[in-house]
Amino acid sequence: MNDGRDGSSHGRPDDGQGDAAQGDGGQGDAVRRSAIQVPPNSDLTLGLVCLDKSEPGRTTWSMEADERFANPAGVLQGGFVTALADAAMGAATITHVGSAPVYSANVELKMSFIRPARVGSVLNGTGWVVSGGRRVVFCECEIRDERDALVARASSTYLLTPRDSV
C-alpha cells in the first residue's frame, strides 16, 4: 500500500535517497542535503498507513492502538494519538499544494481527547485543510475508532517552505 505521501509529504523526496544517491558514497560535497527516508521511521514504528488521499487537502490515515504504546491504564498514550493526527494533517497540507515541492512543518498543534483509545482498537484519523495559502496552512483532524466513536480532535498550523529555498 502507498504511504500516502507520494514521497512529498512533509517535504520528503520519493526515492528516499536524496543527494546521497548521486555517487560519492556519502563522503563528498560540503553543501549536500542528507537523504530523507520515506516513509519515515516514526510512521513505520507506529504502523501508520494512508487509507485515502484522493481529495486534495484531505487525507485519512489508520493505526492500531498497539499495547506497546499503552499507559498503565490500558489505553493509548495521548502522544501516539497526536502522531496520527499530525500525519493526517501534514499529508493534507501536501495534497493541498499539489505538485509544488515543499517542506511542511508543524508550528503549533492543539489536541482535545474525547474518549480513551483502547488497546487493540483501530484508529482512523482524517485530516483536512480548513484554510491555506502558499506559506501557511490551517488544518483540523478527527480521530475515530472502529465503531466510528470520536476519540480526539486536533487543529494545527503548518508552515510551507519551498524545497529549493532550503
Side-chain angles (χ1 to χ4, degrees), residues 81-161:
V81 178
T82 303
L84 175 59
D86 185 34
M89 292 184 292
T93 68
I94 298 300
T95 65
H96 171 71
V97 298
S99 63
V102 298
Y103 293 104
S104 177
N106 182 316
V107 295
E108 65 82 31
L109 183 138
K110 178 191 183 301
M111 285 296 296
S112 296
F113 300 101
I114 312 300
R115 68 177 29 88
R118 301 278 175 209
V119 168
S121 63
V122 176
L123 303 177
N124 291 316
T126 300
W128 63 91
V129 171
V130 174
S131 178
R134 292 182 326 177
R135 290 282 293 158
V136 177
V137 178
F138 181 77
C139 295
E140 292 182 347
C141 180
E142 286 189 348
I143 308 290
R144 294 183 174 272
D145 65 17
E146 69 275 359
R147 296 170 300 159
D148 203 36
L150 184 64
V151 172
R153 288 193 59 124
S155 62
S156 188
T157 304
Y158 291 82
L159 181 64
L160 305 179
T161 306

Coordinates of all heavy atoms in Angstrom, one line a residue, residues 81-161:
V81 N -1.7 9.2 19.7 CA -2.9 9.7 19.0 C -2.6 11.0 18.3 O -3.0 11.2 17.2 CB -4.1 9.9 20.0 CG1 -5.3 10.4 19.3 CG2 -4.4 8.6 20.7
T82 N -1.8 11.8 19.0 CA -1.4 13.1 18.4 C -0.5 12.8 17.1 O -0.6 13.5 16.1 CB -0.6 13.9 19.4 OG1 -1.4 14.1 20.5 CG2 -0.1 15.2 18.8
A83 N 0.4 11.8 17.1 CA 1.2 11.5 16.0 C 0.3 11.1 14.8 O 0.6 11.5 13.6 CB 2.2 10.4 16.3
L84 N -0.8 10.4 15.0 CA -1.7 10.0 14.0 C -2.4 11.3 13.4 O -2.5 11.4 12.2 CB -2.8 9.0 14.5 CG -3.9 8.7 13.5 CD1 -3.4 8.0 12.2 CD2 -4.9 7.8 14.2
A85 N -2.8 12.2 14.2 CA -3.4 13.4 13.8 C -2.4 14.3 13.0 O -2.8 14.8 11.9 CB -3.9 14.2 15.0
D86 N -1.2 14.3 13.4 CA -0.1 15.1 12.7 C 0.1 14.5 11.3 O 0.3 15.2 10.4 CB 1.1 15.2 13.6 CG 2.2 16.1 12.9 OD1 1.9 17.1 12.3 OD2 3.4 15.8 13.1
A87 N 0.2 13.2 11.2 CA 0.4 12.5 10.0 C -0.7 12.9 9.0 O -0.5 13.2 7.8 CB 0.5 11.0 10.1
A88 N -2.0 12.8 9.5 CA -3.1 13.1 8.6 C -3.2 14.5 8.1 O -3.4 14.8 7.0 CB -4.4 12.7 9.3
M89 N -2.9 15.4 9.1 CA -3.0 16.9 8.7 C -1.8 17.3 7.9 O -1.9 18.0 6.9 CB -3.1 17.7 10.0 CG -4.4 17.6 10.8 SD -4.5 18.7 12.2 CE -3.3 18.0 13.3
G90 N -0.6 16.8 8.3 CA 0.6 17.1 7.5 C 0.5 16.7 6.1 O 0.9 17.4 5.1
A91 N 0.0 15.4 5.8 CA -0.2 14.9 4.5 C -1.2 15.7 3.7 O -1.1 16.0 2.5 CB -0.5 13.5 4.5
A92 N -2.3 16.2 4.5 CA -3.3 17.0 3.8 C -2.7 18.3 3.3 O -3.1 18.8 2.3 CB -4.4 17.3 4.8
T93 N -1.7 18.9 4.0 CA -1.1 20.1 3.5 C -0.4 19.9 2.2 O -0.4 20.7 1.3 CB -0.1 20.7 4.5 OG1 1.0 19.9 4.7 CG2 -0.7 21.0 5.9
I94 N 0.2 18.7 2.1 CA 1.0 18.4 0.9 C 0.0 18.2 -0.3 O 0.2 18.7 -1.4 CB 1.9 17.2 1.1 CG1 2.9 17.4 2.1 CG2 2.5 16.7 -0.2 CD1 3.9 18.6 1.9
T95 N -1.1 17.5 -0.1 CA -2.1 17.3 -1.2 C -2.8 18.6 -1.5 O -3.2 18.8 -2.6 CB -3.1 16.2 -0.8 OG1 -3.9 16.6 0.3 CG2 -2.4 14.9 -0.5
H96 N -2.8 19.5 -0.6 CA -3.4 20.8 -0.8 C -2.6 21.7 -1.8 O -3.2 22.3 -2.7 CB -3.6 21.6 0.5 CG -4.0 23.0 0.4 ND1 -5.3 23.4 0.1 CD2 -3.3 24.2 0.6 CE1 -5.3 24.7 0.0 NE2 -4.1 25.2 0.4
V97 N -1.3 21.6 -1.7 CA -0.5 22.4 -2.6 C -0.2 21.8 -3.9 O 0.3 22.4 -4.8 CB 0.9 22.8 -1.9 CG1 0.6 23.7 -0.7 CG2 1.7 21.6 -1.6
G98 N -0.6 20.5 -4.1 CA -0.5 19.9 -5.3 C 1.0 19.5 -5.7 O 1.7 18.9 -4.8
S99 N 1.4 19.8 -6.8 CA 2.7 19.4 -7.3 C 3.9 20.3 -6.8 O 5.0 20.0 -7.1 CB 2.7 19.3 -8.8 OG 2.5 20.5 -9.4
A100 N 3.6 21.4 -6.2 CA 4.7 22.3 -5.7 C 5.5 21.5 -4.7 O 5.0 21.0 -3.7 CB 4.1 23.5 -5.1
P101 N 6.9 21.4 -4.9 CA 7.7 20.7 -3.9 C 8.0 21.6 -2.7 O 8.7 22.6 -2.8 CB 9.0 20.4 -4.7 CG 9.0 21.5 -5.8 CD 7.6 21.8 -6.1
V102 N 7.4 21.2 -1.6 CA 7.5 22.0 -0.4 C 7.9 21.1 0.8 O 7.6 19.9 0.8 CB 6.3 22.8 0.0 CG1 5.9 23.8 -1.1 CG2 5.1 21.9 0.2
Y103 N 8.5 21.7 1.8 CA 8.6 21.1 3.2 C 7.4 21.6 3.9 O 7.0 22.8 3.8 CB 9.9 21.5 3.9 CG 11.1 21.0 3.2 CD1 11.9 21.8 2.4 CD2 11.5 19.7 3.4 CE1 13.1 21.3 1.9 CE2 12.6 19.2 2.8 CZ 13.4 20.0 2.0 OH 14.6 19.5 1.5
S104 N 6.8 20.8 4.8 CA 5.6 21.2 5.6 C 6.0 21.0 7.0 O 6.3 19.8 7.4 CB 4.4 20.4 5.2 OG 3.3 20.7 6.0
A105 N 6.1 22.0 7.8 CA 6.5 21.9 9.2 C 5.3 22.4 10.1 O 4.8 23.5 10.0 CB 7.7 22.8 9.5
N106 N 5.0 21.6 11.1 CA 4.0 21.9 12.1 C 4.6 22.9 13.0 O 5.6 22.8 13.6 CB 3.7 20.6 12.9 CG 2.6 20.8 13.9 OD1 2.6 21.8 14.6 ND2 1.7 19.8 14.0
V107 N 3.9 24.1 13.2 CA 4.4 25.1 14.0 C 3.5 25.3 15.3 O 4.0 25.9 16.2 CB 4.5 26.5 13.3 CG1 5.5 26.4 12.2 CG2 3.1 26.9 12.7
E108 N 2.4 24.7 15.4 CA 1.6 24.6 16.6 C 0.5 23.5 16.4 O 0.1 23.2 15.3 CB 1.0 25.9 17.0 CG -0.1 26.5 16.0 CD -1.5 25.9 16.2 OE1 -1.8 25.6 17.3 OE2 -2.2 25.8 15.2
L109 N 0.1 22.9 17.5 CA -0.9 21.8 17.4 C -1.7 21.8 18.7 O -1.1 22.0 19.8 CB -0.2 20.5 17.2 CG -1.1 19.3 17.1 CD1 -0.5 18.4 16.0 CD2 -1.1 18.5 18.4
K110 N -3.0 21.6 18.6 CA -3.8 21.5 19.8 C -4.6 20.2 19.7 O -5.1 19.9 18.6 CB -4.8 22.7 19.9 CG -5.8 22.5 21.1 CD -6.9 23.5 21.0 CE -7.8 23.5 22.2 NZ -8.5 22.2 22.4
M111 N -4.6 19.4 20.8 CA -5.3 18.2 20.8 C -6.4 18.2 21.9 O -6.2 18.8 23.0 CB -4.4 17.0 21.2 CG -3.5 16.5 20.1 SD -4.3 15.8 18.6 CE -5.1 14.4 19.3
S112 N -7.6 17.7 21.6 CA -8.6 17.5 22.6 C -9.0 16.0 22.6 O -9.4 15.5 21.5 CB -9.9 18.3 22.2 OG -9.6 19.7 22.2
F113 N -8.8 15.4 23.7 CA -9.1 13.9 23.8 C -10.5 13.8 24.4 O -10.8 14.3 25.4 CB -8.0 13.3 24.8 CG -6.6 13.4 24.2 CD1 -5.8 14.4 24.8 CD2 -6.2 12.6 23.2 CE1 -4.5 14.6 24.3 CE2 -4.9 12.8 22.7 CZ -4.0 13.8 23.3
I114 N -11.3 13.1 23.6 CA -12.7 12.9 23.9 C -13.0 11.7 24.7 O -13.7 11.7 25.7 CB -13.6 12.9 22.6 CG1 -13.2 14.1 21.7 CG2 -15.1 12.9 22.9 CD1 -13.4 15.5 22.2
R115 N -12.4 10.5 24.2 CA -12.6 9.3 24.9 C -11.3 8.5 24.8 O -10.5 8.7 23.8 CB -13.8 8.5 24.4 CG -13.7 8.0 23.0 CD -15.0 7.2 22.6 NE -16.2 7.5 23.2 CZ -17.1 8.5 22.8 NH1 -16.8 9.1 21.7 NH2 -18.2 8.7 23.4
P116 N -11.1 7.5 25.6 CA -9.8 6.7 25.5 C -9.8 5.8 24.3 O -10.8 5.3 23.9 CB -9.8 5.8 26.8 CG -11.2 5.9 27.4 CD -11.9 7.1 26.8
A117 N -8.6 5.6 23.8 CA -8.4 4.7 22.7 C -7.9 3.4 23.3 O -6.7 3.4 23.8 CB -7.3 5.3 21.7
R118 N -8.7 2.4 23.3 CA -8.3 1.1 24.0 C -7.3 0.3 23.2 O -7.4 0.3 21.9 CB -9.6 0.3 24.2 CG -10.7 1.0 25.0 CD -10.3 0.8 26.5 NE -11.3 1.6 27.3 CZ -11.0 2.1 28.5 NH1 -9.8 1.9 29.0 NH2 -11.9 2.8 29.1
V119 N -6.5 -0.4 23.8 CA -5.5 -1.3 23.2 C -6.3 -2.3 22.3 O -7.3 -2.8 22.7 CB -4.6 -2.0 24.2 CG1 -3.9 -3.1 23.6 CG2 -3.7 -1.0 24.9
G120 N -5.8 -2.4 21.1 CA -6.4 -3.3 20.1 C -7.4 -2.7 19.2 O -7.8 -3.2 18.2
S121 N -7.8 -1.4 19.5 CA -8.8 -0.8 18.6 C -8.0 -0.2 17.4 O -6.8 -0.1 17.4 CB -9.5 0.4 19.4 OG -8.6 1.4 19.8
V122 N -8.7 0.0 16.3 CA -8.1 0.6 15.1 C -8.6 2.0 15.0 O -9.8 2.3 15.1 CB -8.5 -0.2 13.9 CG1 -8.0 0.4 12.6 CG2 -8.0 -1.7 14.0
L123 N -7.6 2.9 14.9 CA -8.0 4.3 14.9 C -7.8 4.8 13.5 O -6.8 4.5 12.8 CB -7.0 5.1 15.8 CG -7.0 4.7 17.3 CD1 -6.0 5.5 18.1 CD2 -8.4 4.8 17.9
N124 N -8.7 5.7 13.0 CA -8.7 6.3 11.7 C -8.7 7.8 12.0 O -9.5 8.3 12.7 CB -9.9 6.0 10.9 CG -9.8 4.5 10.4 OD1 -8.8 4.0 10.0 ND2 -10.9 3.8 10.5
G125 N -7.7 8.5 11.4 CA -7.6 9.9 11.5 C -7.7 10.6 10.2 O -7.0 10.3 9.2
T126 N -8.7 11.4 10.1 CA -9.0 12.2 8.8 C -8.6 13.6 9.1 O -9.1 14.3 10.0 CB -10.4 12.1 8.4 OG1 -10.7 10.7 8.1 CG2 -10.7 12.9 7.1
G127 N -7.6 14.1 8.3 CA -7.2 15.5 8.4 C -7.6 16.3 7.1 O -7.6 15.7 6.0
W128 N -7.9 17.5 7.3 CA -8.3 18.3 6.2 C -7.8 19.8 6.4 O -7.6 20.2 7.5 CB -9.8 18.3 6.0 CG -10.6 18.8 7.1 CD1 -11.0 20.1 7.3 CD2 -11.1 18.1 8.2 NE1 -11.8 20.3 8.5 CE2 -11.8 19.0 9.1 CE3 -11.0 16.8 8.7 CZ2 -12.4 18.7 10.3 CZ3 -11.6 16.4 9.9 CH2 -12.3 17.3 10.6
V129 N -7.6 20.4 5.2 CA -7.2 21.8 5.2 C -8.5 22.7 5.4 O -9.4 22.6 4.6 CB -6.5 22.2 3.9 CG1 -6.2 23.7 3.8 CG2 -5.2 21.4 3.9
V130 N -8.5 23.5 6.4 CA -9.6 24.5 6.6 C -9.3 25.7 5.8 O -10.2 26.3 5.2 CB -9.7 24.8 8.1 CG1 -10.7 25.9 8.4 CG2 -10.0 23.6 8.9
S131 N -8.1 26.2 5.8 CA -7.7 27.4 5.1 C -6.2 27.4 4.8 O -5.5 26.9 5.7 CB -8.0 28.7 5.9 OG -7.6 29.8 5.2
G132 N -5.8 27.8 3.6 CA -4.4 27.7 3.4 C -4.0 28.6 2.2 O -4.7 28.8 1.2
G133 N -2.7 29.0 2.3 CA -2.1 29.7 1.2 C -0.8 29.1 0.8 O -0.7 27.9 1.0
R134 N 0.1 29.9 0.2 CA 1.3 29.3 -0.2 C 2.3 29.1 0.9 O 3.3 28.4 0.7 CB 2.0 30.2 -1.3 CG 1.1 30.2 -2.6 CD 1.8 31.0 -3.7 NE 2.4 32.2 -3.1 CZ 3.1 33.1 -3.8 NH1 3.3 32.9 -5.0 NH2 3.7 34.1 -3.2
R135 N 2.2 29.8 2.0 CA 3.1 29.7 3.1 C 2.6 29.1 4.4 O 3.3 28.5 5.2 CB 3.7 31.1 3.5 CG 4.6 31.6 2.4 CD 6.0 31.0 2.4 NE 6.7 31.4 3.7 CZ 7.7 30.8 4.2 NH1 8.1 29.7 3.6 NH2 8.3 31.2 5.3
V136 N 1.3 29.4 4.7 CA 0.7 28.9 6.0 C -0.6 28.2 5.7 O -1.4 28.6 4.8 CB 0.4 30.1 6.9 CG1 -0.3 29.7 8.2 CG2 1.7 30.9 7.2
V137 N -0.8 27.0 6.3 CA -2.0 26.2 6.1 C -2.5 25.9 7.5 O -1.8 25.4 8.4 CB -1.7 24.9 5.3 CG1 -2.9 24.1 5.2 CG2 -1.1 25.3 4.0
F138 N -3.8 26.0 7.7 CA -4.5 25.6 9.0 C -5.3 24.4 8.7 O -6.1 24.3 7.7 CB -5.4 26.8 9.4 CG -6.1 26.5 10.7 CD1 -5.4 26.5 11.9 CD2 -7.4 26.1 10.7 CE1 -6.0 26.2 13.1 CE2 -8.1 25.7 11.9 CZ -7.4 25.8 13.1
C139 N -5.1 23.4 9.6 CA -5.8 22.1 9.4 C -6.6 21.7 10.6 O -6.3 22.2 11.7 CB -4.8 21.0 9.1 SG -3.9 21.2 7.6
E140 N -7.5 20.7 10.4 CA -8.2 20.1 11.5 C -8.2 18.6 11.3 O -8.0 18.1 10.1 CB -9.6 20.6 11.7 CG -9.7 22.0 12.2 CD -11.1 22.6 12.4 OE1 -12.0 21.9 12.0 OE2 -11.2 23.6 13.0
C141 N -8.4 17.8 12.3 CA -8.4 16.4 12.2 C -9.4 15.8 13.2 O -9.5 16.3 14.3 CB -7.0 15.8 12.5 SG -6.9 14.0 12.4
E142 N -10.0 14.7 12.8 CA -10.8 13.9 13.8 C -10.2 12.5 13.8 O -9.9 11.9 12.8 CB -12.3 13.8 13.3 CG -13.1 15.0 13.6 CD -14.6 14.8 13.3 OE1 -15.0 13.8 12.7 OE2 -15.3 15.7 13.7
I143 N -10.1 11.9 15.0 CA -9.6 10.5 15.2 C -10.8 9.8 15.7 O -11.5 10.1 16.7 CB -8.5 10.5 16.2 CG1 -7.4 11.4 15.9 CG2 -8.0 9.0 16.4 CD1 -6.5 11.1 14.8
R144 N -11.2 8.7 15.0 CA -12.3 7.8 15.3 C -11.8 6.4 15.5 O -10.9 6.0 14.8 CB -13.4 7.9 14.3 CG -14.0 9.3 14.3 CD -15.2 9.4 13.3 NE -15.8 10.7 13.4 CZ -16.8 11.0 14.3 NH1 -17.3 10.1 15.0 NH2 -17.3 12.2 14.3
D145 N -12.5 5.6 16.3 CA -12.2 4.2 16.4 C -13.0 3.4 15.4 O -13.8 3.9 14.6 CB -12.4 3.7 17.9 CG -13.8 3.8 18.4 OD1 -14.8 3.8 17.6 OD2 -14.0 3.7 19.6
E146 N -12.9 2.0 15.5 CA -13.5 1.2 14.5 C -15.1 1.2 14.7 O -15.8 0.8 13.7 CB -13.0 -0.3 14.6 CG -13.4 -1.0 15.9 CD -12.4 -0.7 17.0 OE1 -11.4 0.0 16.9 OE2 -12.7 -1.3 18.1
R147 N -15.6 1.7 15.8 CA -17.0 1.8 15.9 C -17.5 3.2 15.5 O -18.7 3.6 15.7 CB -17.4 1.6 17.4 CG -17.1 0.1 17.8 CD -17.3 0.0 19.3 NE -16.4 0.9 19.9 CZ -16.5 1.4 21.2 NH1 -17.5 1.0 21.9 NH2 -15.6 2.2 21.7
D148 N -16.6 4.0 14.9 CA -16.9 5.4 14.5 C -17.1 6.4 15.6 O -17.6 7.4 15.5 CB -18.0 5.4 13.5 CG -17.9 6.7 12.6 OD1 -16.8 7.1 12.3 OD2 -19.0 7.3 12.3
A149 N -16.7 6.0 16.9 CA -16.8 6.8 18.0 C -15.6 7.9 18.0 O -14.5 7.5 17.7 CB -16.7 6.0 19.3
L150 N -15.9 9.1 18.2 CA -14.9 10.2 18.2 C -14.0 10.0 19.4 O -14.4 9.9 20.6 CB -15.6 11.5 18.3 CG -14.7 12.7 18.2 CD1 -13.9 12.8 16.8 CD2 -15.5 14.0 18.4
V151 N -12.7 9.8 19.1 CA -11.7 9.7 20.2 C -11.0 11.0 20.5 O -10.7 11.3 21.6 CB -10.7 8.6 19.7 CG1 -9.5 8.5 20.7 CG2 -11.3 7.2 19.6
A152 N -10.7 11.8 19.4 CA -10.0 13.0 19.6 C -10.2 13.9 18.4 O -10.5 13.5 17.3 CB -8.5 12.8 19.8
R153 N -10.0 15.2 18.7 CA -10.0 16.3 17.6 C -8.7 17.0 17.8 O -8.2 17.2 18.8 CB -11.2 17.2 17.8 CG -12.5 16.6 17.4 CD -13.6 17.6 17.3 NE -13.2 18.6 16.3 CZ -13.9 18.9 15.2 NH1 -15.0 18.3 15.0 NH2 -13.5 19.7 14.3
A154 N -8.2 17.5 16.6 CA -7.0 18.3 16.6 C -7.1 19.4 15.6 O -7.9 19.4 14.7 CB -5.8 17.4 16.2
S155 N -6.3 20.5 15.9 CA -6.1 21.6 14.9 C -4.7 21.9 15.0 O -4.0 21.7 16.0 CB -7.0 22.8 15.3 OG -6.6 23.3 16.6
S156 N -4.2 22.4 13.8 CA -2.8 22.7 13.7 C -2.5 23.7 12.6 O -3.3 23.8 11.6 CB -2.0 21.4 13.4 OG -0.6 21.6 13.5
T157 N -1.4 24.4 12.7 CA -0.9 25.3 11.7 C 0.4 24.8 11.2 O 1.2 24.4 11.9 CB -0.7 26.7 12.3 OG1 -1.9 27.2 12.9 CG2 -0.3 27.7 11.2
Y158 N 0.5 24.8 9.8 CA 1.7 24.3 9.2 C 2.4 25.4 8.4 O 1.6 26.2 7.7 CB 1.4 23.1 8.3 CG 1.0 21.9 9.0 CD1 -0.3 21.7 9.5 CD2 2.0 20.9 9.3 CE1 -0.6 20.6 10.2 CE2 1.6 19.8 10.0 CZ 0.3 19.6 10.5 OH 0.0 18.5 11.2
L159 N 3.7 25.5 8.4 CA 4.4 26.4 7.6 C 5.0 25.7 6.4 O 5.7 24.7 6.6 CB 5.5 27.1 8.4 CG 6.4 28.1 7.8 CD1 5.6 29.3 7.4 CD2 7.6 28.5 8.7
L160 N 4.7 26.2 5.2 CA 5.2 25.6 4.0 C 6.5 26.4 3.5 O 6.5 27.6 3.5 CB 4.2 25.6 2.9 CG 2.8 25.0 3.3 CD1 1.9 25.1 2.1 CD2 3.0 23.5 3.7
T161 N 7.5 25.6 3.2 CA 8.7 26.2 2.7 C 9.1 25.6 1.3 O 9.2 24.3 1.3 CB 9.9 26.0 3.6 OG1 9.5 26.5 4.9 CG2 11.2 26.8 3.2

